Amino acid sequence: MNPSVPLRRQRDYRLLWSARTISITGSEVSKLAVPLTAITLLAASPFQMGVLTAAASVPALLFGLHSGAIADRLRRHRPLMIGCELVSCAAALTVPLAWFLGVLTIPWLIAVALVIGTAAVLFRSANFPYVAALVPPDQRTAAMAGFNASYSVASVAGPGLAGVLVQVLTAPLAVLVEGISFLVSALLLRTIRTPENRQPAPSRGLWRDVVAGLRVSVTQPVLRALLGAGVTINFFAMAYVAVSMLYMLHTLGIPKGLIGLLTALGGVGGLLGAWAATRLAERYGENKVLLGSVLFFPLEILAVGLLDGPLWWKVTVLALTGTATGGIVVAFASCMSGIILRDTAEELRGRVNATMTFAVQGVMALGGLAGGALAEVLGLRPVILVCAVGIATAILWIWASPLRSPSSRPPSYRQPDSVPLNSSTHQERQVTKRQPLV
């Protein structure tokens, strides 16, 4: 790793970024192609569609915490990542094959969703600590911003590409694109040359390893603040999402055709946020960017909740706030990931990341249910205002933490049961250019 070389000129990072971008875009295509296959070719019932939709997220709930413990046991993460992509490729390719043979069923699609979802959980658990082996400490936030930019591109381009492919190839054959994307990702990962030289801490059993990650996440002050803020933001954000479309259609009178365009602007904002996060973090440090970005989270929801006036004004406000929020979310997420990598011991990174992902993703379902239930009682506009107030409480998590103190340094800590930290973790912190961060 050479910190003097920009990321865009580092061959192995480009390969990893390209692999993720291609794989994510293929997955976005299947988000439309698989449901259309179930509806148009297999006459799926509403219940079957609900099960098919849930199947994609069930693996994260079942295996999310365990995947982090598995990743932390490995000396090398890349073989697991390649294996996950190949398994996902094989599973996706069975859809057009089964359709061609006339044996495709709803349970088949559900099984494919479960396999790909499980592989994705394992991949993410290995990919997060793998970035630390591939990218110098002072470039990790920029690396995370690059990955978040990929998600933004995929969220904008994926649905449109899926619509074209479904129209031209039919829905089952469009799933073929997802399978090919997984295969290309695996091949790109295979060509990465940077060696991994990590020495994992001895395992004390899968469950005790999982508990160690949970314990560090809730006892280390910085990690606890990030966990609390992430859970708060996602809960109220999903409560808002659950009612926002109804609110735009029935209360604000936004035409249906404009809602898709307004949604896409969030992805455009994400690209701007990835660009800004890298430069702001280099100048001010991740801590300051995080402290600043969290202040803006309530503004879009508050503006939407108070919005009134002619249509042109409503659309203008929604476009500006949606674009800005897309950038803020990516900037916050990129700096959050960089800080987690910085402040977590090497042998705990997989478990801490898995704990964070499990919590902030798992709470999304609860937020959606809460938003819908409250709207039945209070109405749409009051719920949106409640979400604005609720998401503002994330500010307290961040500003009341050591992230605010200019003189604070990440505390050293030990794994439970006195398992020693690897000395490489402390050396890595000493060479980080921006420490202490504010």
Side-chain angles (χ1 to χ4, degrees):
M1 297 185 294
N2 187 351
S4 64
V5 179
L7 281 176
R8 64 180 180 275
R9 294 173 55 192
Q10 294 183 27
R11 172 187 177 276
D12 286 351
Y13 173 74
R14 292 201 312 268
L15 289 170
L16 179 61
W17 181 86
S18 300
R20 294 306 297 138
T21 302
I22 293 169
S23 179
I24 294 165
T25 303
S27 296
E28 287 294 323
V29 169
S30 75
K31 286 181 180 179
L32 178 64
V34 170
L36 284 178
T37 299
I39 294 169
T40 59
L41 297 181
L42 304 177
S45 67
F47 176 76
Q48 289 175 323
M49 289 301 298
V51 175
L52 180 60
T53 302
S57 57
V58 165
L61 298 176
L62 294 179
F63 311 119
L65 294 175
H66 301 84
S67 66
I70 292 171
D72 281 339
R73 291 181 175 188
L74 301 176
R75 292 183 179 275
R76 298 173 61 216
H77 293 111
R78 189 161 58 99
L80 175 61
M81 295 161 62
I82 294 172
C84 288
E85 295 292 72
L86 292 176
V87 169
S88 297
C89 170
L93 293 180
T94 66
V95 173
L97 179 61
W99 173 68
F100 179 76
L101 297 176
V103 296
L104 186 63
T105 62
I106 296 295
W108 191 300
L109 290 178
I110 292 172
V112 168
L114 289 171
V115 171
I116 293 178
T118 302
V121 169
L122 288 170
F123 185 100
R124 287 193 297 268
S125 69
N127 182 71
F128 185 80
Y130 182 63
V131 173
L134 201 65
V135 178
D138 63 326
Q139 293 182 321
R140 289 173 186 165
T141 297
M144 292 300 177
F147 294 134
N148 285 319
S150 296
Y151 286 105
S152 298
V153 170
S155 68
V156 174
L161 177 60
V164 173
L165 292 173
V166 169
Q167 189 70 26
V168 174
L169 301 177
T170 72
L173 289 180
V175 182
L176 181 67
V177 174
E178 182 184 27
I180 294 173
S181 72
F182 286 131
L183 178 60
V184 173
S185 174
L187 293 175
L188 290 173
L189 293 171
R190 180 67 180 83
T191 60
I192 292 176
R193 299 170 184 166
T194 302
E196 288 187 86
N197 298 311
R198 66 185 304 270
Q199 295 293 326
S203 172
R204 305 180 68 84
L206 184 61
W207 178 243
R208 294 182 72 178
D209 288 348
V210 169
V211 171
L214 287 168
R215 187 175 298 165
V216 169
S217 299
V218 299
T219 58
Q220 206 267 22
V222 168
L223 299 180
R224 182 174 61 241
L226 296 177
L227 179 62
V231 167
T232 302
I233 290 168
N234 273 13
F235 178 85
F236 287 104
M238 288 309 297
Y240 167 73
V241 169
V243 301
S244 61
M245 190 168 295
L246 286 172
Y247 178 77
M248 289 183 188
L249 286 170
H250 300 315
T251 303
L252 299 182
I254 305 298
K256 295 178 182 178
L258 287 178
I259 291 179
L261 176 61
L262 292 171
T263 302
L265 289 176
V268 175
L271 294 176
L272 297 174
W275 175 83
T278 300
R279 284 148 185 81
L280 291 172
E282 287 176 353
R283 183 169 182 177
Y284 301 108
E286 289 90 346
N287 289 28
K288 280 188 175 179
V289 177
L290 204 73
L291 288 163
S293 61
V294 74
L295 296 175
F296 293 94
F297 269 100
L299 294 187
E300 180 196 9
I301 301 178
L302 182 62
V304 171
L306 299 176
L307 190 58
D308 204 355
L311 180 61
W312 69 267
W313 171 249
K314 295 175 185 176
V315 171
T316 300
V317 172
L318 290 173
L320 292 175
T321 57
T323 304
T325 299
I328 291 163
V329 168
V330 168
F332 182 91
S334 301
C335 291
M336 179 177 174
S337 298
I339 291 170
I340 292 171
L341 276 173
R342 182 196 74 195
D343 288 12
T344 305
E346 180 185 356
E347 65 269 26
L348 287 164
R349 283 173 179 155
R351 280 167 283 177
V352 168
N353 178 62
T355 299
M356 296 280 183
T357 302
F358 179 84
V360 301
Q361 296 295 323
V363 79
M364 292 172 70
L366 297 177
L369 291 173
L374 281 176
E376 293 284 347
V377 178
L378 303 178
L380 296 174
R381 192 185 293 268
V383 168
I384 288 178
L385 294 176
V386 167
C387 291
V389 174
I391 209 168
T393 60
I395 297 171
L396 301 177
W397 282 104
I398 300 299
W399 278 75
S401 74
L403 292 165
R404 186 182 177 185
S405 173
S407 60
S408 66
R409 289 181 179 271
S412 59
Y413 50 89
R414 290 180 175 271
Q415 282 200 74
D417 299 319
S418 299
V419 177
L421 296 180
N422 290 345
S423 59
S424 60
T425 303
H426 301 288
Q427 295 168 358
E428 186 179 73
R429 290 176 182 169
Q430 291 170 4
V431 300
T432 303
K433 290 183 178 179
R434 295 185 304 277
Q435 296 213 0
L437 296 177
V438 181

